[in-house]
Amino acid sequence: MALFENVTNASELKHRLINQDTALTCALIDASFVIDRFHALLATNRAVHEEQSQKLKTYNLYSQIIFNFSPNTNIAKSFQQFGIKENTTSVVAIKVGDSADEAESFMKNCIKGNLVSLDQLSVIRDLKSIKKAYQIEEKEDVERVKSIVAGAMALKGH
């Protein structure tokens, strides 16, 4: 998992995703919708479990990761809200199965931007947009939002 800032090729990456480019083997999430590393790990862990139990609702593991960020079961809406957009400048990239060095190398070759610490999510995230996506009251603090989001992700589809 990696965080990129100042991404300049989001439009190209989005088109590759839409065209289901099989060489683009990672999930690309708009970082403004990611609360923290745990949030991304929840989506990833669930997708890996769904793949192993042959219960993917999308076309592959990486699209399933993006879908799992969403509190609803509408795949297209999930991609529109949590996936990268034409003008996205901060991206969380998730690659499963490779060594850390291989994954980092792959992501650096695909994403034109600056690799930064995942700790920067606390600065990049858009808490107001996250609250809106998960229908959370504005008064809730970050820790409460994290808890509500984790619960929504766990209960999705049940």
Side-chain angles (χ1 to χ4, degrees):
M1 182 180 338
L3 174 60
F4 290 85
E5 284 187 310
N6 304 314
V7 174
T8 59
N9 65 332
S11 178
E12 171 198 333
L13 293 169
K14 181 175 173 75
H15 288 290
R16 287 179 67 187
L17 289 170
I18 289 170
N19 294 325
Q20 298 180 11
D21 182 344
T22 56
L24 189 60
T25 54
C26 63
L28 300 171
I29 300 102
D30 182 338
S32 66
F33 281 92
V34 182
I35 297 174
D36 60 9
R37 180 185 324 240
F38 181 69
H39 186 198
L41 288 172
L42 284 174
T44 304
N45 184 58
R46 182 169 179 164
V48 168
H49 175 72
E50 289 164 335
E51 181 183 51
Q52 289 176 343
S53 58
Q54 299 179 340
K55 293 185 179 178
L56 291 180
K57 295 198 177 10
T58 65
Y59 58 90
N60 68 28
L61 173 67
Y62 298 109
S63 60
Q64 190 74 25
I65 291 170
I66 298 168
F67 175 63
N68 286 344
F69 272 92
S70 180
N72 67 59
T73 57
N74 184 315
I75 295 171
K77 186 175 179 180
S78 302
F79 287 9
Q80 290 169 356
Q81 192 161 44
F82 294 91
I84 62 170
K85 295 143 190 85
E86 302 268 336
N87 61 347
T88 298
T89 58
S90 297
V91 174
V92 171
I94 301 171
K95 185 155 179 59
V96 177
D98 289 349
S99 72
D101 289 340
E102 290 171 330
E104 183 177 318
S105 176
F106 175 83
M107 290 187 257
K108 282 181 175 179
N109 286 331
C110 289
I111 303 167
K112 292 177 176 60
N114 304 324
L115 180 62
V116 298
S117 168
L118 283 164
D119 295 335
Q120 290 297 313
L121 282 170
S122 64
V123 177
I124 294 169
R125 69 180 173 223
D126 181 348
L127 202 55
K128 186 174 184 175
S129 294
I130 293 169
K131 287 178 180 179
K132 183 177 178 183
Y134 288 93
Q135 300 177 357
I136 300 171
E137 292 182 25
E138 189 59 40
K139 66 179 180 164
E140 301 293 352
D141 68 2
V142 175
E143 292 306 313
R144 181 76 178 123
V145 170
K146 288 179 185 180
S147 177
I148 293 169
V149 166
M153 290 172 74
L155 294 173
K156 177 179 169 178
H158 294 288

